[in-house]
Amino acid sequence: MAHSGISVLFEGTNFARLMGGLWTSVWIALVSLAIGLLLGTLFGLLRTLRSRLIRFVLLLYLEFFRIVPTVVLLFLVYYILPRQFNINMPATWMAVLAFSLWVAAEFSDIVRGALESVPKHQRESGQALGLNQWQLFRYVLLPQAIQLELPATINLATRVIKTTSLLLMISVMDVINVGQQIIEANNQTHPTGIFWVYGLIFILYFIVDYPLSLWAKHLTAKQKD
Amino acid sequence: MAEEILKVEHLNKFYGDWQALHDINFDLQKGEVVTLLGPSGSGKSTLIRTLNGLEPFKDGNIYFKGEKVEPTPKEWQKLRQQIGMVFQSYDLFPNLTVLDNILLAPTKVQKRDREEVKKEAMALLERVDLADQANSYPRQLSGGQKQRIAIVRALAMHPELMLFDEVTASLDPEMVRGVLEIIKELADRDHMTMIIVTHEMNFAAQIADRVLFLEDGKLLEDTPGKQFFEHPQTARAAEFLSSMEF
C-alpha cells in the first residue's frame, strides 16, 4: 500500500541522514568561509598597496571568480585538477578548495572597499604617531574596516551557504543529494515524498540563513544612524 | 648656544605644475615657539605637513637636529616618533578607548612598557582634566575633549617638536580656550618646541617667539613675535593683521 505524506521523513534513518547532509553543507560552508575570509583579507590589503602588478593580478583573480559560474568552478576542481594535475582529494575537500577561492575573491573586494572608505585622516594621524604600514593596518585601518564590511560579509556567508546546494553536482553527500536519494528510494511507497523532503530542506536552509540575514539587516540599519 | 631642532633650506613643493611652496628657508631652535600665519591657501598647512613627511617635497633640504632628512617612507616613519602632530579634525581612533589611543604608539612603536606608559598617560590626562574619560570612546566626547586627548596622545611619544595644524579651527568657540591654554602651558612650563598654524591672532600674539608669515607659498616674513604684531615689516602682513579682528 502506498503511504503518503510526511512519514517519509521519519522512515528508517531518513531524518538523521538529512541532518547529516545538512551538517556536510554547513561544514563545507564554514571551513570555506574561514579560509576564504583570511585569504580575502590578505588579498584586500594587497589591493590597497601601490604596486600596480599586484593589484592587476588580484583584479584578474577577482574577475575570474566573479564571472565563472560556481558550478563550472566545482567541475574544474572536481574533474580537471585530478585529471590534468594529478591532485586527488575527496570531493568535500575539492569543494572546500573551490568555495574558499571564490570567497577569497569576493571578500577581497569587500575588504578593499572598506579599507578605502576609512577616512584618509585616520591613516595620516596614525602615520604622524610613527606607526609603520603594518601597525597602521593592524591597529587602525583593519578594525575600522571590519565594522564597515560586516553586513556585506554576512550577506556573502548566506550566499555561500545557499550555494552549497550545488555540491550535489560533484557527488558530495550534502543535504540536497541525500534528499534526492531519499525521494528516489521511497518513490513507490511515498509518491508525494518529493514535496516533504524538499519542503524540509527549504525550512532547513531558511533556519540557517534567515538569522544571518536579519543580523546583516540590523547592522546596516545601525550604521545608518 | 641653543640647540637647533629644525632647519629648512630652499624648500620647493609642487602639485603638478602648480608651485605650492617657493624657496622656503627658516630654522627653529630648541624651546622656540613659532606660529605660521597667513591667509587661507597661503601654504601654511602644506608647509607644516611637509615637515613630518605627510606631504612629499620636490627639492630643498630639511635638517632635523642637525641631520639631513632623507625623505624616504622609512626615514619619515622613524622621525615621526620624535615629531608630534595634532590636526584640525582630532582624528582619534574611533575603535579604541581614550587610554588605548594614547598607549598605542608608545607601546607598539617605541615598545615601551605598558604599565609605565599608562601611568604617564594618566598623569597627562589628569593635566588636561580628562582622567575620568580614560575608558570612554572618542564618540562619547566633545570636540574640545577630543582635541585635548589628541594632544596628550602626541605628547605620550615624548616628541622633540610638536606641530599644531589649525587645532581649534573646527571647535565650538567655548571649547577653543581650553585647548589653547594647554598649548600655552606646554610652552611656558615644558618649554616644548612648537610650530603652530592658527587663525587665533590673540593666541598667536601671546605665544609666538617668532612669526612666519606666508602668502602664495612664499615666506614673506620671519619676524620676532612682538615685532610682527606691532610693526610688521611688509605691507602685506600689515594688511593681513588689520583684516583680522582681534
Side-chain angles (χ1 to χ4, degrees):
Chain A
M1 193 199 116
H3 302 269
S4 70
I6 198 167
S7 61
V8 67
L9 299 178
F10 305 103
E11 293 278 330
T13 56
N14 284 357
F15 191 74
R17 286 175 62 205
L18 280 167
M19 285 308 178
L22 181 69
W23 172 241
T24 304
S25 306
V26 169
W27 178 86
I28 289 176
L30 288 180
V31 176
S32 308
L33 278 165
I35 300 172
L37 294 186
L38 273 179
L39 210 56
T41 304
L42 177 68
F43 291 169
L45 164 66
L46 291 175
R47 286 185 59 200
T48 64
L49 298 184
R50 240 173 259 144
S51 160
R52 285 229 178 117
L53 180 69
I54 293 177
R55 280 189 311 190
F56 179 70
V57 170
L58 287 172
L59 187 66
L60 275 187
Y61 172 81
L62 167 70
E63 292 300 334
F64 174 80
F65 280 92
R66 192 178 265 171
I67 290 164
V68 175
T70 316
V71 175
V72 178
L73 283 182
L74 288 173
F75 284 162
L76 277 176
V77 294
Y78 190 64
Y79 293 111
I80 310 289
L81 282 189
R83 191 171 299 171
Q84 309 298 329
F85 300 97
N86 265 327
I87 300 173
N88 273 301
M89 285 190 300
T92 44
W93 284 109
M94 290 307 209
V96 166
L97 176 67
F99 273 54
S100 301
L101 293 177
W102 168 51
V103 171
E106 296 269 1
F107 194 58
S108 75
D109 215 33
I110 296 174
V111 171
R112 181 195 55 80
L115 284 174
E116 282 172 3
S117 56
V118 174
K120 176 180 141 236
H121 287 137
Q122 287 287 314
R123 181 181 285 273
E124 285 187 346
S125 80
Q127 283 177 333
L129 285 167
L131 300 181
N132 65 30
Q133 185 76 24
W134 166 249
Q135 290 163 336
L136 194 62
F137 175 69
R138 163 75 182 73
Y139 299 108
V140 177
L141 302 178
L142 191 60
Q144 295 185 52
I146 285 174
Q147 265 190 347
L148 292 170
E149 75 203 13
L150 203 51
T153 310
I154 299 166
N155 282 332
L156 178 61
T158 62
R159 276 169 60 209
V160 171
I161 292 168
K162 277 194 298 189
T163 312
T164 56
S165 55
L166 295 175
L167 290 173
L168 122 131
M169 310 295 287
I170 58 168
S171 314
V172 172
M173 291 308 283
D174 75 318
V175 66
I176 308 271
N177 209 349
V178 172
Q180 196 62 36
Q181 284 185 351
I182 291 175
I183 291 163
E184 280 161 23
N186 298 280
N187 203 13
Q188 298 296 319
T189 52
H190 295 79
T192 59
I194 189 164
F195 172 77
W196 293 103
V197 170
Y198 275 111
L200 178 67
I201 290 173
F202 167 84
I203 292 168
L204 290 176
Y205 269 109
F206 185 80
I207 290 172
V208 175
D209 258 353
Y210 190 60
L212 289 175
S213 161
L214 278 185
W215 186 26
K217 233 183 241 157
H218 171 73
L219 286 172
T220 313
K222 223 169 81 180
Q223 279 181 5
K224 275 194 189 122
D225 48 59
Chain B
M1 198 191 122
E3 186 191 344
E4 178 188 277
I5 295 289
L6 193 73
K7 183 173 169 148
V8 174
E9 269 181 2
H10 304 298
L11 187 72
N12 287 295
K13 170 158 180 70
F14 293 82
Y15 290 109
D17 286 337
W18 184 67
Q19 189 162 5
L21 296 174
H22 295 261
D23 192 32
I24 305 287
N25 296 281
F26 71 95
D27 56 42
L28 184 66
Q29 306 299 316
K30 192 174 173 66
E32 240 185 335
V33 178
V34 164
T35 60
L36 216 51
L37 304 180
S40 299
S42 57
K44 307 182 297 287
S45 278
T46 304
L47 176 55
I48 201 170
R49 288 163 55 85
T50 308
L51 299 179
N52 78 344
L54 289 178
E55 297 283 346
F57 56 94
K58 170 125 185 188
D59 53 43
N61 290 312
I62 296 177
Y63 298 84
F64 184 72
K65 295 208 285 185
E67 279 187 44
K68 190 173 154 198
V69 175
E70 291 302 325
T72 61
K74 223 181 155 61
E75 175 79 4
W76 275 124
Q77 193 242 321
K78 255 197 289 183
L79 285 176
R80 285 183 193 126
Q81 297 170 35
Q82 305 175 61
I83 305 177
M85 182 157 187
V86 184
F87 302 85
Q88 177 177 345
S89 47
Y90 349 118
D91 307 308
L92 299 181
F93 305 129
N95 52 309
L96 300 176
T97 62
V98 164
L99 190 60
D100 286 335
N101 260 281
I102 301 169
L103 297 187
L104 179 65
T107 55
K108 301 298 176 191
V109 179
Q110 295 177 327
K111 315 271 183 222
R112 278 153 60 193
D113 175 61
R114 194 180 159 88
E115 286 310 309
E116 169 233 311
V117 186
K118 194 170 159 184
K119 242 189 242 158
E120 190 190 328
M122 288 311 295
L124 283 167
L125 281 174
E126 198 75 55
R127 211 174 137 178
V128 301
D129 286 331
L130 286 170
D132 53 332
Q133 301 289 355
N135 295 311
S136 306
Y137 281 89
R139 64 172 179 277
Q140 299 166 298
L141 306 176
S142 72
Q145 291 174 320
K146 283 189 231 185
Q147 197 57 293
R148 274 137 73 189
I149 285 160
I151 294 172
V152 166
R153 183 174 69 173
L155 291 177
M157 292 290 282
H158 301 158
E160 296 267 353
L161 166 66
M162 284 286 289
L163 308 174
F164 292 90
D165 188 8
E166 302 203 29
V167 293
T168 57
S170 51
L171 294 180
D172 292 334
E174 72 265 27
M175 306 283 184
V176 170
R177 226 183 77 199
V179 171
L180 294 184
E181 273 169 6
I182 289 168
I183 300 175
K184 186 84 174 59
E185 199 188 273
L186 275 178
D188 296 344
R189 204 176 105 182
D190 306 65
H191 308 292
M192 178 64 75
T193 316
M194 299 190 269
I195 300 180
I196 303 170
V197 173
T198 183
H199 284 118
E200 302 281 338
M201 287 303 133
N202 279 317
F203 170 67
Q206 266 180 45
I207 200 170
D209 296 322
R210 256 164 63 215
V211 173
L212 303 183
F213 180 71
L214 239 69
E215 191 179 56
D216 298 331
K218 297 186 185 91
L219 188 56
L220 297 189
E221 288 209 25
D222 180 347
T223 316
K226 199 166 149 53
Q227 189 186 341
F228 178 83
F229 287 97
E230 286 167 7
H231 308 287
Q233 294 171 315
T234 59
R236 266 310 290 139
E239 215 174 295
F240 170 77
L241 281 174
S242 67
S243 76
M244 306 294 289
E245 281 181 39
F246 70 98

